[in-house]
């Protein structure tokens, strides 16, 4: 435990704290708008986005939990709530009796199709419209590099 702590420099601290504040405020505002305008929570939206990004609209529980960085219990409880509202269904895995799939329903597709245009407009209004194309490219590159490193470290 005798390691030397590599404290953040003032510039690093400014960047880190700015990023954290941006993430918190942007996430909060987008989440409130999503909930009030579309009656879909940010967590519901995240699940529905991941499911619509797959060709069959279904994903194994553990793969979805990993993609969302959710604990198993959170995933199980949230999917049960979404299933109760008819947004998703649980489907047993024929190849693996222990596994199960989360499957988007027609109601889930309708919910995300209704929410997505409003959400993208909010993203544009609160974020995209305030950065230049060059800044967007840099942000995308930095984000992709950090995400790749995080994925590598969990593999």
């Amino acid at each position: 435990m005798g390691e030397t702590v590599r404290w953040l420099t003032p510039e690093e601290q400014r960047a880190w704290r700015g990023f954290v504040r941006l993430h918190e405020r942007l996430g909060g505002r987008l989440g409130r708008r999503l909930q009030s305008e579309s009656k879909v929570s940010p967590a519901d939206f995240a699940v529905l986005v991941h499911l619509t990004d797959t060709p069959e609209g279904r994903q194994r529980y553990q793969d979805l939990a990993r993609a969302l960085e959710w604990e198993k219990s959170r995933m199980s409880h949230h999917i049960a709530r979404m299933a109760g509202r008819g947004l998703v269904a649980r489907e047993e895995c024929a190849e693996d009796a222990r596994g199960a799939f989360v499957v988007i329903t027609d109601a889930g597709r309708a919910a995300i199709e209704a929410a997505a245009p409003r959400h993208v407009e909010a993203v544009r209004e609160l974020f995209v419209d305030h950065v230049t194309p060059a800044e967007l490219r840099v942000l995308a590159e930095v984000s992709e590099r950090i995400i790749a490193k995080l994925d590598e470290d969990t593999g």
Side-chain angles (χ1 to χ4, degrees):
M1 277 270 192
E3 294 180 25
T4 302
V5 176
R6 296 182 335 143
W7 296 107
L8 299 179
T9 66
E11 184 177 350
E12 291 167 336
Q13 191 172 74
R14 177 178 172 235
W16 174 246
R17 287 186 178 181
F19 170 77
V20 169
R21 277 193 307 275
L22 171 65
H23 182 264
E24 291 168 346
R25 288 187 185 174
L26 190 56
R29 297 240 178 119
L30 288 170
R32 284 189 298 278
R33 284 176 72 164
L34 193 59
Q35 185 74 49
S36 70
E37 294 174 1
S38 303
K39 308 300 182 235
V40 173
S41 74
D44 294 341
F45 192 79
V47 168
L48 295 173
V49 165
H50 277 279
L51 293 176
T52 57
D53 282 349
T54 63
E56 303 86 26
R58 60 190 228 149
Q59 227 176 353
R60 290 181 71 106
Y61 262 77
Q62 69 263 24
D63 295 337
L64 186 56
R66 193 175 308 115
L68 295 171
E69 299 266 345
W70 287 4
E71 296 295 326
K72 185 178 175 182
S73 63
R74 178 182 181 190
M75 176 58 90
S76 180
H77 289 297
H78 195 79
I79 295 303
R81 286 191 299 273
M82 289 181 74
R85 292 178 15 241
L87 300 174
V88 297
R90 185 181 198 282
E91 189 177 280
E92 297 302 321
C93 178
E95 303 87 44
D96 178 6
R98 297 173 299 149
F101 290 97
V102 179
V103 183
I104 192 168
T105 63
D106 290 342
R109 284 195 192 281
I112 194 157
E113 287 170 5
R118 291 178 174 154
H119 181 68
V120 77
E121 197 52 47
V123 168
R124 185 169 293 292
E125 176 190 323
L126 297 172
F127 180 73
V128 175
D129 290 347
H130 305 287
V131 294
T132 67
E135 289 168 332
L136 273 177
R137 281 190 296 279
V138 169
L139 180 60
E141 291 167 7
V142 168
S143 298
E144 289 163 359
R145 183 172 61 243
I146 293 170
I147 290 167
K149 180 64 177 153
L150 291 171
D151 289 347
E152 181 182 297
D153 289 346
T154 60

